[in-house]
């Protein structure tokens, strides 16, 4: 080799190294906030692999993203609201990786709704069961994608009901609140909170007109109670694309968006996936 060849190669080498660094940086730029409680999210280091390793939590595939160190990976795990407290684990190549789920007391909320939304008749119950079966595979679908997407607020408004509240409808205990409610006038445009693919649209008994967005690797958004749906199944979305407008279809006491975020089929607090923003969102409590 000519003694100058190494100097000629140096800029190329530098560009290559910079390229690798920038690529690695871009894929770990966004990640959620963590909170190891039911309805929360944990990030667990998985160690070194040349390919993204396959991780599972309660048989559901888990979102995996690159860690800071080259060839190192981390799992982003959604913790279901019904997860028992204490030790839990995911598996990677059949090896357990442990974490601890801490106690958290969500406040209670009392709401008054129409009687048929608390005591559905047999026909309505059959419809609810059908719709639950329709949604289950959408929540459990795992589409290969890279890393964690960047999230934005789907709309600006008062938070009328935070995630996780113990709910009493007309005095009767029901499931805890599995999403975040943002109140806004009927007709307010709703934006896709992150890039993804529309995997289901419909008009459901409790959720009203709804749009499911698959953000990849088992990370799913459900946007509910819409007045109008502006997207179709299979449509590709960027964060900020309008998917429809605020309404009060289904079981709703006023016009608002109910936004569910699901990770490995666990409904988690949407506040954890949003960027840390100032208090202009109006945390009404
Ligand atoms: Zn809600």
């Amino acid at each position: 080799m000519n003694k100058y060849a190494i100097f000629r190669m140096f800029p190329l080498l530098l560009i290559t190294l910079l390229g690798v660094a920038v690529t690695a940086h871009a894929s770990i730029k966004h990640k959620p906030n963590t909170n190891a409680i039911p309805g929360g999210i944990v990030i667990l280091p998985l160690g070194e692999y040349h390919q993204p390793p396959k991780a599972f939590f309660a048989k559901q595939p888990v979102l995996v993203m690159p860690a800071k160190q080259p060839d190192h990976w981390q799992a982003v795990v959604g913790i279901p609201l019904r997860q028992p407290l204490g030790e839990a684990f995911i598996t990677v190549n059949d090896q357990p990786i442990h974490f601890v789920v801490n106690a958290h007391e969500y406040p209670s909320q009392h709401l008054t709704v129409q009687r048929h939304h608390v005591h559905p008749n047999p026909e309505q119950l059959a419809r609810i069961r059908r719709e639950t079966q329709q949604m289950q595979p959408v929540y459990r679908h795992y589409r290969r994608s890279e890393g964690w997407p960047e999230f934005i607020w789907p709309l600006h408004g008062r938070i009328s009901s935070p995630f996780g509240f113990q709910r009493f409808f007309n005095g009767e205990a029901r499931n805890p609140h599995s999403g975040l409610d943002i109140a806004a006038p009927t007709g307010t445009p709703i934006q896709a909170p992150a890039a993804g693919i529309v995997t289901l649209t419909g008009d459901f008994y409790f959720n009203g007109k709804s749009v499911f967005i698959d953000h990849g690797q088992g990370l799913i958004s459900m946007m509910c109670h819409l007045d109008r749906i502006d997207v179709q199944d299979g449509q590709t979305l960027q964060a900020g694309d309008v998917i429809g407008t605020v309404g009060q279809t289904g079981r709703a006491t006023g016009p608002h968006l109910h936004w569910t975020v699901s990770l490995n089929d666990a409904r988690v607090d949407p506040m954890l996936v949003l960027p840390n923003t100032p208090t202009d969102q109006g945390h009404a409590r």
Side-chain angles (χ1 to χ4, degrees):
M1 192 192 280
N2 174 314
K3 68 173 176 181
Y4 297 110
I6 189 72
F7 294 107
R8 267 189 249 119
M9 276 166 61
F10 184 71
L12 191 69
L13 188 69
L14 194 68
I15 285 163
T16 309
L17 283 173
L18 272 174
V20 168
V22 166
T23 312
H25 181 73
S27 50
I28 57 161
K29 202 166 89 183
H30 306 293
K31 59 175 164 181
N33 293 309
T34 56
N35 196 359
I37 60 170
I41 295 174
V42 285
I43 298 182
L44 305 171
L46 302 179
E48 190 174 358
Y49 294 89
H50 295 300
Q51 295 291 322
K54 288 190 170 71
F56 294 88
F57 180 46
K59 290 185 182 145
Q60 281 297 307
V62 162
L63 189 146
V64 164
M65 60 184 275
K68 272 200 180 104
Q69 243 181 307
D71 279 345
H72 280 66
W73 300 85
Q74 49 194 349
V76 186
V77 185
I79 306 170
L81 275 165
R82 288 201 178 82
Q83 178 69 28
L85 303 180
E87 191 136 304
F89 64 92
I90 63 166
T91 54
V92 181
N93 296 335
D94 294 327
Q95 293 299 309
I97 293 177
H98 294 265
F99 62 100
V100 172
V101 179
N102 301 311
H104 179 75
E105 193 137 338
Y106 289 102
S108 297
Q109 186 181 34
H110 289 262
L111 294 160
T112 306
V113 294
Q114 287 173 303
R115 195 188 134 75
H116 70 271
H117 274 141
V118 185
H119 293 283
N121 66 34
E123 200 181 309
Q124 290 161 336
L125 278 172
R127 180 183 164 189
I128 293 162
R129 233 171 273 134
R130 240 185 0 255
E131 291 176 353
T132 306
Q133 280 168 11
Q134 199 184 355
M135 292 176 197
Q136 198 183 61
V138 176
Y139 276 127
R140 294 185 178 170
H141 186 245
Y142 196 83
R143 179 173 63 84
R144 281 259 152 248
S145 70
E146 249 187 51
W148 184 267
E150 181 177 12
F151 274 89
I152 60 164
W153 285 83
L155 63 96
H156 293 275
R158 182 177 63 89
I159 291 176
S160 51
S161 180
F163 171 88
F165 271 34
Q166 299 294 324
R167 294 192 127 180
F168 296 84
F169 287 99
N170 305 350
E172 296 187 40
R174 286 296 180 270
N175 286 337
H177 192 218
S178 59
L180 174 72
D181 288 355
I182 307 171
T186 298
T188 306
I190 300 166
Q191 298 174 310
I197 296 169
V198 177
T199 45
L200 180 65
T201 57
D203 192 351
F204 302 103
Y205 187 74
F206 287 125
N207 301 320
K209 289 184 185 169
S210 304
V211 173
F212 285 75
I213 307 169
D214 182 336
H215 305 296
Q217 293 200 74
L219 177 60
I220 317 285
S221 280
M222 174 177 66
M223 324 298 283
C224 304
H225 308 309
L226 274 57
D227 190 54
R228 201 186 69 223
I229 294 175
D230 290 340
V231 290
Q232 291 178 335
D233 292 12
Q235 195 172 329
T236 300
L237 299 172
Q238 298 306 316
D241 287 350
V242 172
I243 59 147
T245 57
V246 171
Q248 52 176 329
T249 53
R251 184 174 68 185
T253 53
H256 73 279
L257 168 70
H258 168 104
W259 174 28
T260 291
V261 175
S262 182
L263 186 57
N264 49 265
D265 200 26
R267 315 301 175 253
V268 297
D269 188 351
M271 291 298 283
L272 293 173
V273 310
L274 286 165
N276 297 318
T277 47
T279 51
D280 70 335
Q281 294 303 324
H283 296 240
R285 256 185 282 169

